């Protein structure tokens, strides 16, 4: 018996499902996007952290992801952890958010 064909899932659908789960559960959802690229969506779904284990994520990828997640007013910044530098994205138009980092700012808080 032959195996069923591969089922292709759009990355936008995967990200939106993770965003919905973050809202429903109130917990961070992590999605592996590539071999060495990860997205961590914060509870509420209005913030995410983009990181790579071996390099820094690029701004164009973060912009595409923000658009896919439906962020109306994305604001970009950087978070320097102990071992990784991550790109942070916050939807500034989302209700109840703290001040967002500005592009190229170094922040020490966590997502």
């Amino acid at each position: 018996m032959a195996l069923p064909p591969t089922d292709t899932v759009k990355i936008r659908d995967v990200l939106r499902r993770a965003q919905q789960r973050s809202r429903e559960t109130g917990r961070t959802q992590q999605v592996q996007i590539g071999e060495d690229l990860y997205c961590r969506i914060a509870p509420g779904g209005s913030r995410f952290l983009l990181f790579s284990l071996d390099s820094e994520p690029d701004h164009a990828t973060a912009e595409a992801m923000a658009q896919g997640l439906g962020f109306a007013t994305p604001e970009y910044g950087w978070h320097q952890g102990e071992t990784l530098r991550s790109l942070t994205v916050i939807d500034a138009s989302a209700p109840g958010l703290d001040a967002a980092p500005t592009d190229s700012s170094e922040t020490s808080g966590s997502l």
Side-chain angles (χ1 to χ4, degrees):
M1 178 178 240
L3 294 173
T6 301
D7 187 20
T8 301
V9 180
K10 294 178 183 177
I11 188 66
R12 179 185 320 119
D13 295 340
V14 171
L15 290 172
R16 287 194 175 167
R17 176 65 182 130
Q19 182 183 43
Q20 185 61 37
R21 281 184 49 86
S22 74
R23 290 178 179 145
E24 291 170 357
T25 64
R27 298 185 60 174
T28 299
Q29 301 296 306
Q30 182 167 304
V31 177
Q32 184 173 357
I33 298 167
E35 189 171 315
D36 186 40
L37 185 63
Y38 301 85
C39 176
R40 200 171 274 171
I41 302 174
S46 299
R47 300 178 291 165
F48 71 86
L49 190 85
L50 188 62
F51 67 97
S52 173
L53 299 176
D54 292 329
S55 62
E56 288 185 356
D58 66 72
H59 201 273
T61 301
E63 287 176 346
M65 291 176 58
Q67 182 180 10
L69 287 169
F71 284 18
T73 313
E75 292 187 8
Y76 305 89
W78 288 97
H79 170 74
Q80 180 63 54
E82 288 185 35
T83 59
L84 297 174
R85 183 172 147 123
S86 306
L87 188 53
T88 61
V89 184
I90 297 174
D91 186 358
S93 65
L97 286 179
D98 299 346
T102 57
D103 197 15
S104 300
S105 69
E106 296 290 332
T107 60
S108 59
S110 62
L111 182 65

